[in-house]
Amino acid sequence: MDTLRLLASQGAEAGWLSESFSYAFMINALVAALLVGPLLGGLGTLVIAKRLAFFSEAVGHAALTGIAIGVLLGEPPENPIIGLFCFCMIFALLLHFVRNRTAVPYDTLVGVFLAVALAGGAALLMYVARKINIHMLENVLFGSILTITDFDLLVLGLSCLLIIVGLMFTFNRILLASISPDIAKVRGYNTHFYDYLFVMMITLVTIAAVKIVGAVLVGALLLIPGATARLMTKSMGSFVLLSSFLATLSCIIGTLLPMELKWPIPSGASIILVSASFFLIATVTRIVGENNDEKNDLFTICDWFNAISKHVLT
């Protein structure tokens, strides 16, 4: 990281890069964006396939309670990683466990758990208010990619590595268990195991991305790039690739834009607004293209992703 920051600083001094790249926190932010963007985009396609749109929102809001518990247990207020990880993982697994064993509609169940997580976090934060800075709470809620440290990058990198390794061996099985559990069972797959494994992956990436995008907005970055890619592609391979690309691009642009234009916008909000802009463009283009019954340049680009995915994913 020190070498990368040095090269970026030299490039800024030489005029090859913007002055923003002379700051170490900007390099940390861009590395974090390159790590978390593809992962959120790729997992987002499975979230859409499994119809777990609000699950990541509930886990993200549970991060507030996890942070408060970590601070109460004596962890540093800046990085209460153990309390955050343990509470969010227990919260997610318990939610999925109750879902499989009750007849309560899933959206209702998520709403109940979400309300409990928010109430618990609000109550506990009152006890730790004297130990934390109010700006830290804002960073948790709305993200602050520019405050990412080397330790945060290490945690993020390890999380990404674990999830990528897991997906390399289980992606197709998780997808089949999502689309057609009966066929997955006929093939001998333990669908409950893959469901819980996917829940753990979503929870892990949500925890890792809280500081970047924010607890309130992390679920949006799982959904919006995937929803955009769904409008523009036909095959599963191109769906995954395009979603990962859009999420990464949103993270990079959303990080650079406020810094370059000196806008006082939280990084999480900026990233989501950029991602939502892509979704709006894709939606309008789709509507116009269907009305005119012709293929436009945007969907020609998507055909390229279709072609690339056939070579990359086969």
Side-chain angles (χ1 to χ4, degrees):
M1 283 301 300
D2 290 335
T3 303
L4 184 60
R5 286 192 284 260
L6 179 61
L7 290 173
S9 179
Q10 291 174 348
E13 290 178 2
W16 302 335
L17 299 172
S18 168
E19 185 181 349
S20 301
F21 287 86
S22 61
Y23 301 110
F25 63 81
M26 177 57 79
I27 305 304
N28 289 356
L30 289 175
V31 171
L34 290 171
L35 284 172
V36 79
L39 200 57
L40 285 171
L43 282 175
T45 59
L46 288 174
V47 169
I48 292 173
K50 292 178 73 66
R51 298 182 180 179
L52 292 176
F54 294 105
F55 173 80
S56 56
E57 290 287 344
V59 174
H61 286 74
L64 287 174
T65 309
I67 288 172
I69 291 173
V71 175
L72 284 174
L73 293 176
E75 289 191 81
E78 297 78 17
N79 277 304
I81 189 67
I82 297 176
L84 176 62
F85 175 81
C86 292
F87 179 79
C88 287
M89 192 62 71
I90 293 171
F91 177 89
L93 293 175
L94 182 61
L95 172 56
H96 197 66
F97 177 83
V98 174
R99 176 200 180 190
N100 290 337
R101 283 163 177 77
T102 65
V104 179
Y106 184 59
D107 57 345
T108 303
L109 193 61
V110 170
V112 171
F113 273 72
L114 179 60
V116 171
L118 282 175
L124 289 174
L125 284 172
M126 293 296 293
Y127 286 97
V128 301
R130 290 176 296 179
K131 298 182 180 181
I132 63 175
N133 190 314
I134 190 62
H135 295 296
M136 193 199 91
L137 182 57
E138 293 177 358
N139 293 343
V140 172
L141 288 172
F142 305 110
S144 181
I145 198 170
L146 300 180
T147 63
I148 289 179
T149 63
D150 287 350
F151 177 76
D152 295 323
L153 288 176
L154 177 62
V155 172
L156 183 60
L158 289 174
S159 301
C160 292
L161 181 62
L162 285 173
I163 295 171
I164 289 171
V165 171
L167 287 176
M168 285 174 60
F169 297 100
T170 63
F171 183 88
N172 289 333
R173 296 189 177 192
I174 292 174
L175 181 62
L176 182 60
S178 306
I179 297 174
S180 182
D182 292 335
I183 295 178
K185 289 178 182 178
V186 169
R187 292 193 176 187
Y189 300 157
N190 186 338
T191 56
H192 289 298
F193 168 77
Y194 290 112
D195 281 344
Y196 278 104
L197 179 63
F198 181 66
V199 164
M200 293 174 68
M201 287 181 182
I202 290 295
T203 305
L204 186 58
V205 75
T206 300
I207 294 167
V210 159
K211 195 166 185 180
I212 300 171
V213 190
V216 176
L217 300 171
V218 66
L221 195 58
L222 272 168
L223 295 176
I224 298 177
T228 306
R230 194 71 186 90
L231 285 170
M232 300 164 62
T233 58
K234 296 179 180 178
S235 69
M236 191 64 199
S238 58
F239 181 25
V240 174
L241 287 178
L242 185 56
S243 179
S244 300
F245 173 76
L246 290 173
T248 306
L249 191 60
S250 297
C251 286
I252 294 173
I253 295 175
T255 300
L256 289 174
L257 205 59
M259 191 69 184
E260 294 295 330
L261 300 179
K262 296 180 171 54
W263 288 348
I265 301 175
S267 61
S270 175
I271 290 169
I272 298 305
L273 288 173
V274 171
S275 183
S277 300
F278 291 146
F279 178 76
L280 181 61
I281 292 170
T283 302
V284 172
T285 306
R286 179 89 181 201
I287 293 172
V288 172
E290 288 179 351
N291 289 340
N292 294 336
D293 196 26
E294 61 183 15
K295 185 178 291 187
N296 49 47
D297 293 339
L298 180 60
F299 288 95
T300 300
I301 295 174
C302 296
D303 288 340
W304 297 346
F305 273 95
N306 288 328
I308 293 171
S309 66
K310 290 180 182 178
H311 294 285
V312 173
L313 301 176
T314 57

